[in-house]
mmCIF file of all heavy atoms in Angstrom:
data_model
loop_
_atom_site.group_PDB
_atom_site.id
_atom_site.type_symbol
_atom_site.label_atom_id
_atom_site.label_comp_id
_atom_site.label_asym_id
_atom_site.label_seq_id
_atom_site.Cartn_x
_atom_site.Cartn_y
_atom_site.Cartn_z
ATOM 1 N N GLN A 57 -17.722 -8.373 30.367
ATOM 2 C CA GLN A 57 -16.286 -8.382 30.603
ATOM 3 C C GLN A 57 -16.063 -9.407 31.726
ATOM 4 O O GLN A 57 -15.610 -10.504 31.482
ATOM 5 C CB GLN A 57 -15.808 -6.975 30.981
ATOM 6 C CG GLN A 57 -14.318 -6.847 31.132
ATOM 7 C CD GLN A 57 -13.564 -7.144 29.839
ATOM 8 O OE1 GLN A 57 -14.045 -6.936 28.741
ATOM 9 N NE2 GLN A 57 -12.351 -7.657 29.973
ATOM 10 N N ARG A 70 -17.685 -5.174 27.310
ATOM 11 C CA ARG A 70 -16.575 -5.309 26.357
ATOM 12 C C ARG A 70 -16.366 -4.006 25.580
ATOM 13 O O ARG A 70 -15.265 -3.710 25.162
ATOM 14 C CB ARG A 70 -16.842 -6.441 25.361
ATOM 15 C CG ARG A 70 -16.836 -7.771 25.993
ATOM 16 C CD ARG A 70 -15.749 -8.679 25.434
ATOM 17 N NE ARG A 70 -15.649 -9.815 26.328
ATOM 18 C CZ ARG A 70 -14.607 -10.096 27.078
ATOM 19 N NH1 ARG A 70 -13.515 -9.340 27.023
ATOM 20 N NH2 ARG A 70 -14.593 -11.119 27.870
ATOM 21 N N HIS A 73 -14.595 -1.538 27.964
ATOM 22 C CA HIS A 73 -13.238 -2.081 28.142
ATOM 23 C C HIS A 73 -12.382 -1.753 26.921
ATOM 24 O O HIS A 73 -11.261 -1.263 27.049
ATOM 25 C CB HIS A 73 -13.297 -3.598 28.363
ATOM 26 C CG HIS A 73 -11.995 -4.301 28.137
ATOM 27 N ND1 HIS A 73 -10.908 -4.147 28.986
ATOM 28 C CD2 HIS A 73 -11.581 -5.125 27.149
ATOM 29 C CE1 HIS A 73 -9.898 -4.865 28.513
ATOM 30 N NE2 HIS A 73 -10.272 -5.454 27.410
ATOM 31 N N VAL A 77 -8.926 0.368 26.713
ATOM 32 C CA VAL A 77 -7.691 -0.175 26.123
ATOM 33 C C VAL A 77 -7.178 0.784 25.054
ATOM 34 O O VAL A 77 -5.986 1.091 24.980
ATOM 35 C CB VAL A 77 -7.930 -1.583 25.513
ATOM 36 C CG1 VAL A 77 -6.670 -2.083 24.800
ATOM 37 C CG2 VAL A 77 -8.351 -2.575 26.574
ATOM 38 N N HIS A 102 -9.853 -5.803 19.410
ATOM 39 C CA HIS A 102 -9.208 -6.977 20.015
ATOM 40 C C HIS A 102 -10.180 -7.954 20.671
ATOM 41 O O HIS A 102 -9.880 -9.123 20.810
ATOM 42 C CB HIS A 102 -8.096 -6.547 20.995
ATOM 43 C CG HIS A 102 -8.572 -6.275 22.382
ATOM 44 N ND1 HIS A 102 -9.255 -5.134 22.731
ATOM 45 C CD2 HIS A 102 -8.483 -7.006 23.516
ATOM 46 C CE1 HIS A 102 -9.551 -5.166 24.021
ATOM 47 N NE2 HIS A 102 -9.097 -6.290 24.527
ATOM 48 N N ASP A 103 -11.379 -7.503 21.029
ATOM 49 C CA ASP A 103 -12.331 -8.405 21.692
ATOM 50 C C ASP A 103 -13.566 -8.710 20.845
ATOM 51 O O ASP A 103 -14.542 -9.244 21.363
ATOM 52 C CB ASP A 103 -12.772 -7.792 23.035
ATOM 53 C CG ASP A 103 -11.832 -8.188 24.170
ATOM 54 O OD1 ASP A 103 -10.943 -9.030 23.934
ATOM 55 O OD2 ASP A 103 -11.986 -7.654 25.283
ATOM 56 N N ASP A 196 -4.206 -3.662 27.241
ATOM 57 C CA ASP A 196 -5.313 -4.551 27.626
ATOM 58 C C ASP A 196 -5.112 -5.002 29.080
ATOM 59 O O ASP A 196 -6.014 -4.927 29.910
ATOM 60 C CB ASP A 196 -5.303 -5.753 26.660
ATOM 61 C CG ASP A 196 -6.516 -6.669 26.829
ATOM 62 O OD1 ASP A 196 -7.533 -6.217 27.378
ATOM 63 O OD2 ASP A 196 -6.449 -7.832 26.384
ATOM 64 N N TYR A 200 -7.672 -4.061 32.161
ATOM 65 C CA TYR A 200 -8.545 -4.979 32.909
ATOM 66 C C TYR A 200 -8.106 -5.164 34.352
ATOM 67 O O TYR A 200 -8.950 -5.273 35.239
ATOM 68 C CB TYR A 200 -8.818 -6.301 32.173
ATOM 69 C CG TYR A 200 -7.667 -7.260 31.992
ATOM 70 C CD1 TYR A 200 -7.104 -7.943 33.060
ATOM 71 C CD2 TYR A 200 -7.172 -7.534 30.725
ATOM 72 C CE1 TYR A 200 -6.064 -8.843 32.874
ATOM 73 C CE2 TYR A 200 -6.130 -8.426 30.522
ATOM 74 C CZ TYR A 200 -5.585 -9.082 31.606
ATOM 75 O OH TYR A 200 -4.555 -9.957 31.414
HETATM 76 MG MG1 MG B 401 -9.442 -7.348 26.370
#
Side-chain angles (χ1 to χ4, degrees):
Q57 185 62 30
R70 293 241 167 246
H73 162 69
V77 175
H102 87 284
D103 272 353
D196 188 21
Y200 68 69

